[in-house]
Amino acid sequence: MAVRVQSEPFDPGEELSRFGQDRTDIGAVVSFTGLVRDDDGTLDRMEIEHYPGMTEKAIATIVDEASQRWSLTDCLVIHRHGPLAPGEVIMMVATAAKHRVAAFQAAEFLMDFLKSRAPFWKKEFQSDGSTDWVDAKVDDEDALKRWSD
């Protein structure tokens, strides 16, 4: 299980190729790659802030919970911080398990909780000079409800 919070770009394809490499006990690998989205062509950049140490610990806690719910063989979470241009890779989640259902469900669980509970602060800078903090979305909070026991 690995959690990385970094400013440097990464290649999701290379990360996925290394993930689970040389293991024979994995039957399924599921991955998700998030990109900086520009809905209307006006986004200049997004800046992501975090609190070093606290953010990694919070993500590790989410990964631990996923590992307790599903029998994961491995897990990788990479999240970037700093300024990011539209189209850049912002994060990646990969899960490995003996069976696909566990890998898929764990990946969805991680995505839902990373989106709403990982302590990142996102600010959008528009091409006209205006800025806005990205608020939490109701849909993201609703997505968490399916995981409550």
Side-chain angles (χ1 to χ4, degrees), residues 93-104:
V93 166
T95 56
K98 289 184 179 188
H99 303 287
R100 64 182 166 82
V101 172
F104 271 112

Side-chain angles (χ1 to χ4, degrees), residues 13-25:
E14 289 179 12
E15 296 292 341
L16 192 57
S17 292
R18 280 193 294 272
F19 182 71
Q21 191 174 32
D22 301 326
R23 294 188 67 161
T24 58
D25 58 341

Side-chain angles (χ1 to χ4, degrees), residues 70-135:
W70 296 277
S71 180
L72 295 179
T73 317
D74 205 354
C75 181
L76 171 66
V77 175
I78 305 171
H79 203 297
R80 292 182 62 199
H81 64 87
L84 298 166
E88 281 194 75
V89 173
I90 190 171
M91 61 85 63
M92 174 185 181
V93 166
T95 56
K98 289 184 179 188
H99 303 287
R100 64 182 166 82
V101 172
F104 271 112
Q105 289 182 345
E108 286 188 83
F109 174 89
L110 287 165
M111 287 308 310
D112 287 344
F113 276 82
L114 288 169
K115 183 86 175 168
S116 301
R117 296 297 182 263
F120 289 102
W121 296 270
K122 299 173 185 171
K123 191 171 191 178
E124 292 181 337
F125 292 77
Q126 305 298 327
S127 54
D128 66 1
S130 64
T131 62
D132 275 314
W133 289 101
V134 177
D135 293 325

